[in-house]
Amino acid sequence: MSAALKLLPPPSPVITWEQYLQRLAASKEKLEYVNGQIYAMAGATDDHNRIAGDAFFELRQALKGKPCEPFMADMLLRIESGLDKLGYFPDVMVICDKADRNPQHRTAPKLLVEVLSKSTRRIDTREKLTAYQGLPSLEVYITLEQTSMKATIYRRSNQWWPEIVEGEAAIITLDELGIKLALRDVYARVEWSAVESESDT
């Protein structure tokens, strides 16, 4: 996901979900919601968009004819778990529950995908990993690196223990959805020479 970099001043000590949705509708930038506070998300890099876009495309192709539907980062995910009330924009999510059709958000993803960056790694691999695990519907959470062809897969069936796949020949097997994704296709548009050049500076 893109980084949540700055805390916006709230009009009241705690922002309600309804107030958040109002501000979100009026905002030109994406806003995320964490327990009554609103955070503005910074813009994503070119490679972030390429990886997220290709992950969505490959999922959409693989899920043709199946009852599940992938969504890009413009779809809001609402989480209410214990005392937590959260609103996130995952890079990609897959919804299989036909009853999950609120026009403003989704609540029951089966798969979530986040593209990591230096500024979001801690949030995506700690805060969001913990929050996502609290979703009863979620079966798989995948994080994708930007600077290497590498995916970390967390599965409910494996007690959320991380499974790493990497390299051009690697395959992400998603028995939970009955599909497979080739890692080289997810990273097909990344210009690795540019990535290596940037990492050297």
Side-chain angles (χ1 to χ4, degrees):
M1 63 152 285
S2 304
L5 294 180
K6 55 184 179 181
L7 176 62
L8 299 185
S12 61
V14 176
I15 303 295
T16 67
W17 179 261
E18 290 70 25
Q19 289 172 323
Y20 162 62
L21 292 180
Q22 290 172 2
R23 293 192 67 180
L24 184 61
S27 176
K28 293 182 179 180
E29 55 190 343
K30 286 183 183 176
L31 307 175
E32 292 195 323
Y33 180 84
V34 179
N35 295 324
Q37 300 297 315
I38 298 177
Y39 295 84
M41 299 171 64
T45 65
D46 290 349
D47 280 338
H48 178 283
N49 285 326
R50 290 179 182 121
I51 296 166
D54 282 345
F56 167 78
F57 176 80
E58 294 302 321
L59 282 165
R60 185 177 64 179
Q61 292 295 104
L63 291 170
K64 277 186 176 180
K66 296 180 180 291
C68 300
E69 182 179 9
F71 291 89
M72 284 286 288
D74 286 336
M75 177 58 74
L76 177 64
L77 172 62
R78 181 177 184 176
I79 301 174
E80 291 195 44
S81 178
L83 297 176
D84 287 331
K85 294 184 178 182
L86 311 167
Y88 291 135
F89 285 97
D91 286 318
V92 184
M93 64 175 157
V94 173
I95 304 295
C96 301
D97 185 348
K98 293 299 183 182
D100 190 12
R101 288 294 183 267
N102 187 292
Q104 294 178 311
H105 60 257
R106 294 293 188 268
T107 60
K110 191 165 187 175
L111 167 72
L112 291 171
V113 180
E114 298 282 13
V115 179
L116 302 179
S117 68
K118 288 181 180 179
S119 58
T120 67
R121 179 178 298 275
R122 184 191 63 79
I123 295 172
D124 290 340
T125 60
R126 295 183 186 180
E127 174 189 310
K128 291 196 173 182
L129 174 60
T130 300
Y132 291 163
Q133 288 173 357
L135 289 164
S137 65
L138 191 70
E139 296 293 334
V140 187
Y141 175 43
I142 299 174
T143 60
L144 299 170
E145 300 285 345
Q146 279 195 67
T147 57
S148 63
M149 199 176 293
K150 179 179 177 181
T152 302
I153 307 161
Y154 304 87
R155 304 177 195 267
R156 182 178 298 277
S157 61
N158 196 31
Q159 290 75 51
W160 304 111
W161 193 258
E163 166 196 346
I164 295 174
V165 298
E166 56 187 323
E168 191 166 340
I171 300 293
I172 300 175
T173 300
L174 296 171
D175 292 335
E176 297 85 353
L177 295 171
I179 62 174
K180 295 182 179 182
L181 302 178
L183 212 55
R184 65 176 177 273
D185 294 332
V186 174
Y187 286 88
R189 293 185 297 145
V190 176
E191 299 175 4
W192 293 111
S193 59
V195 172
E196 293 170 4
S197 177
E198 289 173 4
S199 64
D200 290 338
T201 58

